[in-house]
Amino acid sequence: MAAGFITGGGGERKDYPGKMTWRMVITCIMAGCGGLIFGYDIGISGGVTSMAPFLQKFFPHVYRREELNSGGTNQYCKFDDAMLTLFTSSLYLAALVASLFASFITRKFGRKPSMVFGGLVFLAGAAVNGFAHNVAMLIIGRILLGVGIGFANQSAPVYLCEVAPAKHRGKLNMLFQLMITVGILAANLINFFSAKMSNGEGWRVSLGCAGIPALIFLIGSLCLPDTPNSLIERGKLPEGKEQLRKFRGVDDVEDEFNDIRLASEAAKNVQKPWSNLLRRKYRPQLAMVVLIPFFQQFTGMNVIMFYAPVLFKTIGFGSNASLASALISGGVNCVATLVSICTVDRLGRRFWFLEGAIQMFICQIIVAICIGVKFGVSGNPGELPVWYAGIVVFAICVYVAGFAWSWGPLGWLVPGEILPLEVRSAGQSVNVSVNMIFTFIIAQCFLRMLCVMKFGLFIFFSGFVFVMALFIYYFLPETKGIPIEDIAEVWKTHPYWKRFVDEDDDAARKSRFSGV
């Protein structure tokens, strides 16, 4: 690996005093529950849309087509339906719009109000979906869920980055992704058992149980203090300093407090953070908050997770078997995220980004070959041997692990930690908006793409994985262990980005590096 592209690793860094406290850990777990509602929705959607009673009630034409295709005709296209994909993807469009409004609330009133509001709206959406009697109610419920996710995803990662000390920021921020995987796993478990309900109402249980993670997140958010950075930014200096002492577990927080205060004074001079984000000196951060979530979605991972039961059903598994296979991949997702949490602050962000990309690329090629050999272009696999289906499931699970310890958690960690305070809320909204708009596009188009591109769909996503690995290798500096208000310094020594950083505009920032 070319050493010239690994910046931020040398020199003397300011090491603020502090220790890992139970208060900090519990606070981060509660804030991380914002990922719980997002993960539950990702996991629940595909399971519900593979349940026959749900399809019979809301999408009878899809159900009839599935029954006709059960005899071995084209398996690629049997779930291709615009309204069915709109049920899944409408949430992400709503989240996109909501995240833009959340930026204003997060900056003016703090991170906590955005999180509380997100939990409330998501709870309302779960109730509407659980009692739905027609497609319109389903879509309205999905929109409410999307608004909740938009607010939660905009505020929770920022909250985690701000309360965590630099040397533990990676693992604490990744609690958000861990909760996403826990939510997916919980949804898969509920789908597996609710699909067996004899009264045909299992889908109501699955959709309505979204209220449980919403309540957990809502109650947790109500109990949280606001972050020291947010309090100081809003002029509440004594409260901010006191919260900083409590989070760090020491009385000597003067250096870190002063640095946050300097950053907040710079932030107050920024009246229009959205237009400010477009300034030349923020070009590196803007590129990252756009391209990292873009590439994260084009790994194809969300397709695998929220369409997993449908996908496994398409490649020859029965209804219960497809839900069981999705449950297995959800478990792998959760365990692999723990691996990243334990190692990201030691091995760094770049290592996991690159290792995960290589692993996903290889697995997608294997899945494409396996499906292509058996299904061809006709979509008729004939008799699918158990061992053959097992190879596909294994390859998908290894792919899921690759994502779960790399692009999954890092896609939320890195954009959140690289943004200076003055553009942090706006930048995080861009990150969430890009994530949601491409999640919407992929969710809306996936079943049609599967029908048209067939096994080539996995080759399509593998091409993006290859490109994004090159992007990380050449353009992302290492940020592990650097205080959040000092990360702007790493761009000044990067071979490409240093040309965009205006030293004069950054003169007010104290350098925390020697030899930079």
Side-chain angles (χ1 to χ4, degrees):
M1 194 176 292
F5 291 102
I6 306 177
T7 61
E12 296 292 328
R13 297 198 186 103
K14 189 71 173 285
D15 187 14
Y16 300 123
K19 56 188 177 182
M20 183 77 81
T21 64
W22 279 109
R23 176 188 175 87
M24 184 193 304
V25 172
I26 293 171
T27 297
C28 288
I29 289 173
M30 288 192 291
C33 286
L36 196 62
I37 62 175
F38 189 27
Y40 187 88
D41 181 80
I42 291 173
I44 215 69
S45 302
V48 167
T49 53
S50 71
M51 294 180 186
F54 177 81
L55 293 176
Q56 281 180 298
K57 183 174 180 63
F58 296 105
F59 306 97
H61 52 293
V62 178
Y63 175 75
R64 288 192 295 270
R65 188 191 309 155
E66 183 189 1
E67 289 298 298
L68 288 173
N69 280 336
S70 62
T73 56
N74 192 337
Q75 299 294 303
Y76 289 122
C77 300
K78 65 181 181 179
F79 289 104
D80 179 24
D81 179 75
M83 285 302 296
L84 183 60
T85 52
L86 182 62
F87 164 73
T88 298
S89 60
S90 57
L91 177 147
Y92 302 103
L93 196 59
L96 159 67
V97 176
S99 67
L100 301 178
F101 289 98
S103 170
F104 172 81
I105 293 176
T106 300
R107 188 167 192 244
K108 292 295 183 183
F109 303 104
R111 290 39 167 157
K112 178 177 176 176
S114 286
M115 295 161 69
V116 171
F117 183 75
L120 277 172
V121 179
F122 192 92
L123 183 62
V128 172
N129 272 352
F131 291 103
H133 291 286
N134 51 53
V135 174
M137 285 187 71
L138 284 179
I139 301 301
I140 291 171
R142 295 289 292 172
I143 290 172
L144 290 172
L145 294 176
V147 172
I149 286 174
F151 273 82
N153 285 12
Q154 197 280 337
S155 51
V158 170
Y159 187 101
L160 290 165
C161 278
E162 289 184 341
V163 301
K167 59 186 176 183
H168 299 300
R169 188 174 61 245
K171 62 172 68 74
L172 290 175
N173 184 277
M174 283 185 175
L175 289 172
F176 183 80
Q177 177 65 21
L178 178 63
M179 289 301 177
I180 291 178
T181 65
V182 170
I184 292 171
L185 182 60
N188 288 335
L189 275 168
I190 290 172
N191 278 338
F192 182 74
F193 290 106
S194 64
K196 298 179 179 181
M197 292 176 62
S198 58
N199 63 0
E201 296 287 293
W203 61 270
R204 290 193 187 276
V205 174
S206 293
L207 295 177
C209 280
I212 297 174
L215 279 172
I216 294 172
F217 179 56
L218 176 59
I219 294 171
S221 298
L222 288 169
C223 297
L224 292 176
D226 217 332
T227 70
N229 306 61
S230 178
L231 290 167
I232 294 168
E233 183 183 14
R234 290 180 285 132
K236 300 180 179 181
L237 301 185
E239 295 95 324
K241 193 171 188 177
E242 182 60 27
Q243 285 301 329
L244 193 59
R245 286 196 185 103
K246 290 179 179 179
F247 279 124
R248 299 296 177 257
V250 296
D251 291 328
D252 181 18
V253 295
E254 208 62 40
D255 285 347
E256 186 173 3
F257 172 77
N258 287 332
D259 286 343
I260 296 174
R261 183 172 53 80
L262 286 172
S264 71
E265 288 173 0
K268 288 176 184 177
N269 294 327
V270 177
Q271 300 301 317
K272 298 179 180 179
W274 287 95
S275 58
N276 205 59
L277 188 59
L278 299 176
R279 293 177 60 184
R280 181 178 175 87
K281 71 172 184 174
Y282 297 120
R283 196 68 51 80
Q285 292 92 335
L286 182 60
M288 294 300 158
V289 298
V290 170
L291 290 175
I292 287 178
F294 168 80
F295 283 129
Q296 186 191 52
Q297 292 311 307
F298 276 86
T299 60
M301 177 60 178
N302 273 1
V303 167
I304 296 293
M305 296 316 295
F306 58 62
Y307 283 122
V310 171
L311 180 62
F312 284 126
K313 203 170 182 180
T314 296
I315 61 177
F317 293 80
S319 179
N320 285 337
S322 68
L323 289 171
S325 299
L327 182 59
I328 293 169
S329 61
V332 170
N333 190 22
C334 191
V335 173
T337 303
L338 289 171
V339 173
S340 186
I341 287 175
C342 295
T343 58
V344 68
D345 288 315
R346 179 163 48 87
L347 298 178
R349 282 61 160 156
R350 283 173 54 89
F351 171 84
W352 280 121
F353 264 133
L354 295 171
E355 190 283 334
I358 293 169
Q359 186 170 327
M360 287 188 289
F361 178 82
I362 294 171
C363 290
Q364 283 173 325
I365 297 299
I366 291 173
V367 171
I369 292 172
C370 288
I371 295 179
V373 168
K374 196 65 180 174
F375 286 73
V377 295
S378 68
N380 185 354
E383 188 67 27
L384 192 67
V386 174
W387 65 267
Y388 201 88
I391 292 175
V392 176
V393 172
F394 177 77
I396 287 177
C397 285
V398 175
Y399 161 83
V400 167
F403 178 88
W405 57 45
S406 62
W407 282 82
L410 294 174
W412 295 105
L413 167 62
V414 172
E417 71 180 0
I418 64 172
L419 291 162
L421 183 60
E422 61 267 25
V423 293
R424 189 167 296 152
S425 292
Q428 182 63 13
S429 288
V430 172
N431 178 43
V432 175
S433 297
V434 173
N435 189 297
M436 292 302 158
I437 194 169
F438 284 103
T439 303
F440 170 80
I441 291 170
I442 293 295
Q444 189 66 22
C445 298
F446 168 68
L447 293 177
R448 184 60 187 166
M449 291 168 70
L450 180 62
C451 181
V452 173
M453 300 175 70
K454 302 173 174 59
F455 63 88
L457 180 61
F458 295 94
I459 298 176
F460 169 82
F461 285 124
S462 70
F464 279 98
V465 171
F466 179 78
V467 172
M468 72 195 200
L470 294 178
F471 170 74
I472 292 297
Y473 182 80
Y474 287 109
F475 295 108
L476 180 70
E478 183 56 68
T479 56
K480 69 173 182 178
I482 304 174
I484 190 170
E485 303 303 348
D486 290 328
I487 288 181
E489 301 293 331
V490 302
W491 310 107
K492 294 179 180 179
T493 56
H494 190 275
Y496 179 76
W497 295 119
K498 65 182 179 181
R499 72 191 71 180
F500 294 97
V501 179
D502 188 337
E503 296 286 348
D504 293 331
D505 283 348
D506 281 347
R509 291 185 178 276
K510 286 185 174 181
S511 175
R512 292 296 171 251
F513 303 88
S514 65
V516 174

